[in-house]
Amino acid sequence: MGHFDEDALAAAAAELSGRGIDVVRLGYPDFIGTERGRDVLVANFARTLGDGVAFCRTVYGTSPMGDVVELGAGGLADGLPDVVAFPDLATLTDVPWEPGVAHCLADVFDPDGTPAPESPRQVLRQVLARFAELGMRPVVGPELEFYVLEPDAAGGWRRYGEAPGNVYVSGSKGDPENLLLRSLRSLADYGLDVVTANHEFCSGQFEINLWHSAALDAADRAFRFKTAVKELARREGKLATFMAKPFNDEGGSGFHLHFSTVDDDGRPLFDDPAGEYGLSKVAHAAIAGILAHAPALSALANPTVNSAKRFGPDTLAPWLIDWGLDNRSAMIRIPPERGRASRLELRQGDATANPYLVTAGLLAAAYLGIQDGLAAPAPLEGYGYDPAKAPKLPADLGASLDALEADTAFAELLGPRFVTAFLAYKRNELERFSRYVTDWEFREYAYHL
């Protein structure tokens, strides 16, 4: 593995020290989008990071419960070898709620210097390289919903600010402690380019939108956003969760992605005043590609056992593989703006999705549509929950994983070794869940059977 540029590290350390920063938090995403990393003293910055920071490769195969999952090459059978994390110094930014601390995203490599194929950031970079070959630069705008919970008397968690009907409100009516406003300001100071925040449909549910930007930057900001929201809630004795559907009696949390692309000169490629619906052939082909590969994409956009429980009629979460013009019941919504604002909104994803992987999946599907010159079907008319109009999305995680494995063109863009490891990780999740006795089973069967 090559040595990192010592001059760049020394210059960064001097600049950080001059601003009173003595610790850099080096972080990167695992498969599920949890941040893994290490705090590094700036006084030892160049020495510590010059050869990268080693991590056991099974960080990618560690479950939320701390189990180590065999992912194939580089796992348990190979003696738990290392990967090496190097800072992306362009991403250094101060953490406003932790004085003296800066955050830096890391890129993860194999010891031989090649990018680690399991790295979600690398998976997205691979897809972006294919767009670059077409002279296209994807632009993405993330929208994320989440719940805030507070401790209850039984030692569990209840929804924060419980009250009915606080849909799209702001202020203390839906946020009695002004938690959202404080979070919005902290996130803005963190450089995440957040733009709006509001209470969502359900008690304790909120949405914060991020401005659009180049796809990798948008995924970086969404990744940091999720980590930051959870950290800010913890500091106030609360729990922020991006779980797809944490409650039976309330709706789920989505991860909507607005997507367009520009050429190398910055000209929008989805807009065409003479095209059908004011959209270009590139836009129609991208829509068609996303529809064609939606079952495989669901493995990345809806990646947990809980994810499919967010779907269904009257949920405002998509159920069918369809698209519509300014229709929020469709999987792909085309907002009414045209010109530079011409874009599509993928409403399929839920908030558990890893920002890098769901973005890579969206772009991979769109790329295949553009490459193959696919034609989109007619858009949805009316309410999008009639299965006679369009096929359904996969009904559960197992079906999504099978679709990902079967979609060889899609999997090839993401990287075969990544897909093999991801499938192993997620099928282990299904296996563990299949053996777990749930509260529903006890309630359903214990008294009568």
Side-chain angles (χ1 to χ4, degrees):
M1 186 79 199
H3 199 77
F4 198 87
D5 184 346
E6 288 189 6
D7 290 340
L9 288 172
E15 195 273 334
L16 290 165
S17 296
R19 292 191 288 104
I21 301 295
D22 65 339
V23 171
V24 171
R25 180 159 297 150
L26 190 68
Y28 61 93
D30 65 7
F31 280 164
I32 62 174
T34 294
E35 183 173 39
R36 308 289 178 171
R38 191 165 296 166
D39 286 348
V40 179
L41 284 168
V42 171
N44 299 317
F45 203 52
R47 185 182 72 187
T48 306
L49 299 180
D51 290 309
V53 177
F55 290 87
C56 180
R57 181 175 230 113
T58 52
V59 69
Y60 288 118
T62 302
S63 79
M65 293 292 102
D67 303 302
V68 176
V69 181
E70 178 59 80
L71 301 181
L76 289 165
D78 293 328
L80 306 174
D82 276 347
V83 288
V84 185
F86 280 87
D88 179 350
L89 294 179
T91 68
L92 267 172
T93 187
D94 293 6
V95 180
W97 53 89
E98 287 197 78
V101 177
H103 187 271
C104 187
L105 293 171
D107 285 312
V108 182
F109 294 83
D110 282 344
D112 66 3
T114 58
E118 301 95 339
S119 165
R121 208 168 184 238
Q122 171 61 19
V123 172
L124 176 53
R125 277 201 172 107
Q126 289 173 177
V127 180
L128 290 173
R130 301 298 289 271
F131 270 92
E133 293 171 1
L134 300 178
M136 297 182 183
R137 295 189 285 115
V139 176
V140 171
E143 295 180 357
L144 278 150
E145 298 167 344
F146 57 94
Y147 277 90
V148 175
L149 313 179
E150 58 188 2
D152 64 18
W157 298 97
R158 67 188 177 203
R159 292 184 290 257
Y160 160 67
E162 184 80 38
N166 282 330
V167 182
Y168 297 153
V169 302
S170 56
S172 59
K173 184 171 185 286
D175 179 18
E177 298 176 26
N178 256 340
L179 175 69
L180 185 64
L181 183 59
R182 287 195 300 279
S183 297
L184 183 66
R185 286 172 171 154
S186 291
L187 295 167
D189 291 341
Y190 195 27
L192 296 185
D193 210 3
V194 292
V195 289
T196 61
N198 59 268
H199 192 285
E200 256 294 338
F201 265 72
C202 308
S203 288
Q205 189 185 40
F206 301 92
E207 179 176 27
I208 298 178
N209 296 335
L210 289 79
W211 194 246
H212 58 269
S213 67
L216 181 61
D217 175 73
D220 284 343
R221 289 184 294 116
F223 167 63
R224 282 175 145 162
F225 169 85
K226 292 179 74 174
T227 301
V229 165
K230 295 179 74 68
E231 190 72 5
L232 290 168
R234 288 188 190 101
R235 295 172 73 86
E236 304 216 19
K238 295 179 172 57
L239 172 69
T241 180
F242 292 86
M243 186 175 171
K245 186 171 169 61
F247 303 105
N248 285 308
D249 61 339
E250 289 283 21
S253 293
F255 185 169
H256 300 165
L257 290 170
H258 291 252
F259 161 55
S260 63
T261 188
V262 298
D263 66 15
D264 290 333
D265 295 319
R267 288 187 291 264
L269 297 178
F270 277 10
D271 181 62
D272 182 357
E276 190 174 21
Y277 312 116
L279 299 173
S280 68
K281 290 181 179 179
V282 171
H284 281 278
I287 292 167
I290 297 166
L291 297 177
H293 298 278
L297 174 57
S298 67
L300 306 177
N302 314 113
T304 70
V305 167
N306 178 253
S307 290
K309 296 174 183 178
R310 168 177 161 264
F311 292 148
D314 303 321
T315 61
L316 286 180
W319 196 37
L320 307 178
I321 300 172
D322 55 11
W323 73 287
L325 301 169
D326 200 13
N327 190 329
R328 283 181 168 82
S329 64
M331 189 189 89
I332 299 172
R333 168 181 170 258
I334 308 299
E337 298 92 341
R338 294 295 182 267
R340 294 192 63 84
S342 293
R343 65 193 189 278
L344 63 83
E345 178 192 14
L346 180 70
R347 298 176 60 80
Q348 178 183 4
D350 65 65
T352 59
N354 181 318
Y356 297 100
L357 297 183
V358 69
T359 303
L362 164 63
L363 298 184
Y367 172 86
L368 290 169
I370 294 168
Q371 172 191 258
D372 297 338
L374 298 184
L380 167 71
E381 297 287 346
Y383 202 40
Y385 295 101
D386 179 359
K389 292 183 177 181
K392 289 183 183 179
L393 285 162
D396 54 53
L397 178 59
S400 296
L401 297 176
D402 290 345
L404 173 59
E405 185 173 34
D407 194 335
T408 54
F410 183 79
E412 183 66 29
L413 283 176
L414 301 175
R417 185 161 155 184
F418 161 75
V419 171
T420 297
F422 184 82
L423 289 172
Y425 182 85
K426 283 295 171 180
R427 283 176 172 150
N428 174 271
E429 180 177 330
L430 284 173
E431 182 183 351
R432 288 185 289 113
F433 179 70
S434 72
R435 297 195 302 264
Y436 191 82
V437 179
T438 65
D439 293 345
W440 184 92
E441 292 166 279
F442 189 88
R443 186 189 65 184
E444 187 80 2
Y445 304 130
Y447 179 74
H448 292 288
L449 301 181

